[in-house]
Amino acid sequence: VNLLILFFFLGLFAGFFDTISGGGGLLTIPVMLMVGVPPLEALGTNKLQGIFGTASATITFASKGHLDFKSLWPIALLCFISSIVGALIASQIPEQTLAIFIPYILILVALYFGLSKKISEKGKTPILTFSILGIIILPIVGFYDGIFGPGAGSFYMFALLSLGGLGIVQATAQTKLLNFSSNLGGFIFFCIIGACLASCLNLL
């Protein structure tokens, strides 16, 4: 029961982070590992709270007219598919190896968050065309979201702002949609292979 309460409030807190800026997995994954959830199940379960946080943000931005689904759905689909591929690869990695590397990846992502420069509210001149960004760069972030996850929202944002030249509102809105898509893809795959929620419930 105590773990259930811990997971509930941790999920709320992490979901709040994902809604605002991303990075909720930096909170949930270490806690799940510390209480004995196997690495792959921790990655899969983390997708659930990520889905709710990014979905609520996506709905909010869409209701305010900041998302053009007609032009964005192909990119969202690519991020969805690439996340499934990433989750598939993660499922093939031995748990001992995942257990060794996950803490180091978490530290690197945390350092990225800590050292990142303040985001400018104004758009810049695009470095890449939106086609290249949508077909190559953003699906790579989706792949990362499937194979690991924490910080993916920040990486989407970086790509859209720095490489795509979008303004912060537009970039944030698109980030939430793409992050939701890749969270959903990874979550579905992890559920199919039974690497989501079950281990957490067995601990209760």
Side-chain angles (χ1 to χ4, degrees):
V1 177
N2 290 335
L3 279 179
L4 180 60
I5 295 174
L6 171 63
F7 286 149
F8 176 77
F9 284 104
L10 182 65
L12 287 178
F13 197 48
F16 172 77
F17 265 89
D18 278 335
T19 302
I20 301 301
S21 61
L26 293 173
L27 301 174
T28 56
I29 290 178
V31 172
M32 285 189 284
L33 293 176
M34 284 190 291
V35 300
V37 178
L40 190 63
E41 280 79 352
L43 295 179
T45 304
N46 177 62
K47 295 299 177 196
L48 181 61
Q49 63 83 17
I51 286 174
F52 283 102
T54 53
S56 61
T58 299
I59 292 171
T60 299
F61 280 111
S63 66
K64 295 182 178 180
H66 294 303
L67 285 170
D68 179 9
F69 288 103
K70 186 176 181 180
S71 63
L72 291 172
W73 77 261
I75 301 174
L77 179 60
L78 285 175
C79 291
F80 175 87
I81 295 172
S82 61
S83 177
I84 293 176
V85 175
L88 172 63
I89 292 176
S91 70
Q92 302 303 311
I93 301 174
E95 287 200 344
Q96 296 87 344
T97 303
L98 278 177
I100 291 172
F101 282 102
I102 283 178
Y104 293 103
I105 300 175
L106 286 169
I107 291 172
L108 290 174
V109 175
L111 287 173
Y112 168 80
F113 270 88
L115 299 176
S116 293
K117 296 181 180 179
K118 184 178 179 181
I119 296 175
S120 172
E121 295 187 3
K122 296 182 180 180
K124 300 178 180 179
T125 302
I127 296 176
L128 299 176
T129 65
F130 195 70
S131 297
I132 294 177
L133 194 67
I135 296 174
I136 300 176
I137 305 300
L138 297 174
I140 288 175
V141 179
F143 173 81
Y144 165 80
D145 199 7
I147 199 170
F148 188 59
S154 182
F155 298 144
Y156 278 125
M157 179 76 80
F158 173 82
L160 290 167
L161 285 172
S162 300
L163 302 179
L166 300 184
I168 190 168
V169 174
Q170 191 177 9
T172 303
Q174 293 186 20
T175 289
K176 298 310 175 186
L177 172 62
L178 301 179
N179 204 179
F180 168 74
S181 299
S182 54
N183 269 327
L184 183 62
F187 178 73
I188 290 174
F189 179 84
F190 283 125
C191 284
I192 290 174
I193 66 172
C196 187
L197 299 177
S199 295
C200 293
L201 294 175
N202 289 335
L203 291 171
L204 303 178

